[in-house]
């Protein structure tokens, strides 16, 4: 092992660090001096200290990347398989600011292909501009705030990030989200009853043509029970969300199959008796019984009440003073509830016919009648099945989708709204800290074509059990004899050798 070369490499690294620290100290002392002159400006002082810290952090990352590129370039294994072609700059947007570094373009002798080995070792896609943490921050901010707000949060030290760049990161979220770790059979939950609530959010589309009817975001969530928090408020236990556009019958089938797969993988099917699906009568929700085992529909009382009010309000009359008289309306409402409780659908139909003859409104009466006829069994379960629970789908759609996607005057593309729906469900299922897994999953899938080029030995580290005898001796020698002086540099050289030893 060439100790002289290691010593020079170590010295160069130390000098680079010293230079960074010198600049850092100069910035800190200048900030201190200005603060002493104007102690009232504490905010400016704090800002300058933070900026100096981030500037040093970005400089250190650039230095380490260039140092690693130098180690690759000087590696004997690299010399056996690759020729140096040229050096190029690359800039990454990071949470510490822009990191600009030089890396070497190599030409593979056996294939004639050109590759940046440093980028390949980092599994960094060819046109990627964001570091992993910067992309995580962009997604995390965009999940709550606007694209522009997310872009501004990454503008550190003069760098420029556009809202379009953030939008592209949202669009790049994979349609198939990373699978959760499977639950062993002996760890699956034992619940007799599960509950599913589903609803949709009407999202404004960017399209402005006359045929534009907006975008429908579908939300489904599974839970085990409702627990009282305080008077008039309950929370859901064991909630898991599924959401996206899922347009058409085939995509809707896929959505419900995902729900069934989740139930199978997390709950003991032998212990499970029933799965209640709360429905507002929508066809895509009712289709869930075709794919979810042991499922039964129950009517959403909130939407049921809306239909009852539509009919009863037709009976509101004016009194002699011009005020609304709701006496007849209240009687109609009471009769409808009576017929529901007594399971007397025929009497309800006759009453609707009489109201139509008196008041007209044929279309409205027809819609109400159709709702009752098509959902009668589900309505009966909602009132008579003791295990059925009330529905809170409207509130969940509002908090999970609407507050970000439809409560403000903004337009969405289909892919953008779909990925945002999926992202907001993912965050609620896994926590904001797990967004990094989402980013790494997407990058791994994007990087797969590069791994098929016969370069596995370069980008996948070799475990110690596969070291050659010479490598074992070199590592032992470095750790035992030179660690106090040259250990970090020796280890870096051996680490680089690991990654290109199969060339």
């Amino acid at each position: 092992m060439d100790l002289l070369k290691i010593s020079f490499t170590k010295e160069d690294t130390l000098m680079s660090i010293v230079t960074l620290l010198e600049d850092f100290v100069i910035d800190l002392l200048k900030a201190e001096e200005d603060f002493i002159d104007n102690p009232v400006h504490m905010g400016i002082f704090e800002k300058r200290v933070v900026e100096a810290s981030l500037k040093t952090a970005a400089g250190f990352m650039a230095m380490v990347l260039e140092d690693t590129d130098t180690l690759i370039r000087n590696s004997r294994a690299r010399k056996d398989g690759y020729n140096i072609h040229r050096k190029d700059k690359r800039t990454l947007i990071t949470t510490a600011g822009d990191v600009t570094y030089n890396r070497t373009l190599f030409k593979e002798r056996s294939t004639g292909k050109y590759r940046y080995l440093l980028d390949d070792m980092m599994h960094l896609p060819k046109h990627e501009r964001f570091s992993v943490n910067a992309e995580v921050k962009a997604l995390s901010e965009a999940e709550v705030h606007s694209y522009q707000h997310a872009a501004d949060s990454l503008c550190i030290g003069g760098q420029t990030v556009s809202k379009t760049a953030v939008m592209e990161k949202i669009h790049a979220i994979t349609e198939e989200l990373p699978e959760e770790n499977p639950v062993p059979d002996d760890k699956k939950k034992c619940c007799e009853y599960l509950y599913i609530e589903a609803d949709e959010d009407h999202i404004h589309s960017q399209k402005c043509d006359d045929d534009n009817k907006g975008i429908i975001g579908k939300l489904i969530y599974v839970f085990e029970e409702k627990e009282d928090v305080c008077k008039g408020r309950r929370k859901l236990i064991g909630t898991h969300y599924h959401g996206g556009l899922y347009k058409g019958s085939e995509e809707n089938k896929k959505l419900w199959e995902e729900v069934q797969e989740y139930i199978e993988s997390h709950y003991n099917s032998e212990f499970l008796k029933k799965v209640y699906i709360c429905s507002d009568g929508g066809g895509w929700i009712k289709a869930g019984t075709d794919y979810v085992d042991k499922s039964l529909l129950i009517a959403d009382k909130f939407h049921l009440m809306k239909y009852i009010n539509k009919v009863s309000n037709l009976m509101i009359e004016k009194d002699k003073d011009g005020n609304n008289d709701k006496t007849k309306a209240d009687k109609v409402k009471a009769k409808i509830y009576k017929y529901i409780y007594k399971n007397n659908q025929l009497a309800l139909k006759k009453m609707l016919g009489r109201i139509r003859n008196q008041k007209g409104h044929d279309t409205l009466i027809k819609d109400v009648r159709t709702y009752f006829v098509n959902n009668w069994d589900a309505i009966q379960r909602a009132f008579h099945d003791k295990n059925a629970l009330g529905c809170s789908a409207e509130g969940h759609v509002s908090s999970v989708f609407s507050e970000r996607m439809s409560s403000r005057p903004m337009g969405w593309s289909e892919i953008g709204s779909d990925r945002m729906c999926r992202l907001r469900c993912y965050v609620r299922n896994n926590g904001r800290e797990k967004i990094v897994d989402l980013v790494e999953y997407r990058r791994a899938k994007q990087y797969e074509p590069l791994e098929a080029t016969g370069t596995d030995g370069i980008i996948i580290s070799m475990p110690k059990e596969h070291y050659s005898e010479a490598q074992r001796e070199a590592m032992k020698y470095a750790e035992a004899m030179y660690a106090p002086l040259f250990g970090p540099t020796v280890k870096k050289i051996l680490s680089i050798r690991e990654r290109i030893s199969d060339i």
Side-chain angles (χ1 to χ4, degrees), residues 160 166 218 228 239 242 244 278 339 366-367 373 437:
T160 300
V166 176
K218 297 177 180 178
D228 290 332
T239 315
H242 304 262
C278 191
Y339 295 146
K366 181 180 178 182
D367 290 342
V373 170
D437 295 343

Side-chain angles (χ1 to χ4, degrees), residues 181-418:
N181 295 328
V183 178
D185 288 341
D186 59 341
K187 298 292 184 181
K188 290 182 178 179
K189 297 181 181 181
C190 294
C191 295
E192 291 185 339
Y193 303 101
L194 285 177
Y195 301 89
I196 295 175
E197 294 179 358
D199 206 347
E200 58 198 33
D201 188 24
H202 296 266
I203 303 166
H204 303 295
S205 173
Q206 291 175 342
K207 296 179 180 180
C208 299
D209 54 84
D210 295 336
D211 295 332
N212 176 30
K213 297 181 180 179
I215 300 170
I216 301 298
K218 297 177 180 178
L219 176 67
I220 298 174
Y221 52 96
V222 183
F223 63 96
E224 298 160 15
E225 60 178 317
K226 293 185 177 183
E227 183 180 274
D228 290 332
V229 177
C230 57
K231 185 177 180 180
R233 182 174 180 180
R234 295 190 291 177
K235 69 176 181 179
L236 308 189
I237 305 300
T239 315
H240 193 274
Y241 297 87
H242 304 262
L245 298 195
Y246 294 94
K247 295 176 61 178
S249 58
E250 284 301 313
E251 285 294 304
N252 195 61
K253 173 185 176 182
K254 182 179 177 182
L255 172 59
W256 282 109
E257 286 176 344
E258 290 175 8
V259 174
Q260 172 62 20
E261 183 179 344
Y262 169 77
I263 294 174
E264 288 178 351
S265 63
H266 287 76
Y267 295 93
N268 188 325
S269 58
E270 295 180 0
F271 199 82
L272 185 63
K273 292 181 179 179
K274 290 180 183 177
V275 179
Y276 291 99
I277 300 178
C278 191
S279 168
D280 63 359
W284 73 270
I285 301 176
K286 295 169 72 173
T289 55
D290 296 332
Y291 307 104
V292 178
D293 295 341
K294 304 178 183 179
S295 61
L296 290 172
L297 285 174
I298 56 175
D300 174 2
K301 290 185 179 180
F302 175 79
H303 287 89
L304 171 63
M305 182 179 66
K306 288 172 66 175
Y307 280 99
I308 293 174
N309 287 339
K310 284 182 180 180
V311 175
S312 61
N313 288 342
L314 294 178
M315 305 305 293
I316 295 177
E317 297 178 345
K318 296 290 184 180
D319 60 18
K320 61 181 180 179
D321 297 323
N323 299 318
N324 287 335
D325 183 356
K326 297 184 178 181
T327 304
K328 291 185 178 180
D330 291 340
K331 289 182 179 179
V332 168
K333 189 181 297 186
K335 282 186 178 181
I336 293 176
Y337 279 115
K338 175 184 175 182
Y339 295 146
I340 290 174
Y341 274 108
K342 290 190 173 183
N343 194 17
N344 194 342
Q345 185 180 163
L346 180 60
L348 177 58
K349 289 179 182 178
K350 290 181 177 179
M351 187 181 73
L352 291 176
R354 291 194 298 270
I355 294 174
R356 183 189 59 194
N357 293 335
Q358 294 176 30
K359 300 293 183 178
H361 296 279
D362 291 1
T363 302
L364 186 151
I365 296 297
K366 181 180 178 182
D367 290 342
V368 173
R369 188 179 188 278
T370 301
Y371 170 79
F372 278 110
V373 170
N374 291 344
N375 297 280
W376 189 256
D377 290 339
I379 293 171
Q380 290 302 303
R381 294 189 193 101
F383 281 90
H384 299 295
D385 192 326
K386 64 179 182 179
N387 295 307
L389 301 178
C391 183
S392 56
E394 289 282 333
H396 277 79
V397 167
S398 177
S399 63
V400 179
F401 285 174
S402 301
E403 70 175 14
R404 174 64 179 93
M405 307 182 70
S406 61
S407 62
R408 287 168 283 181
M410 62 180 70
W412 292 83
S413 66
E414 287 195 353
I415 187 172
S417 57
D418 178 69

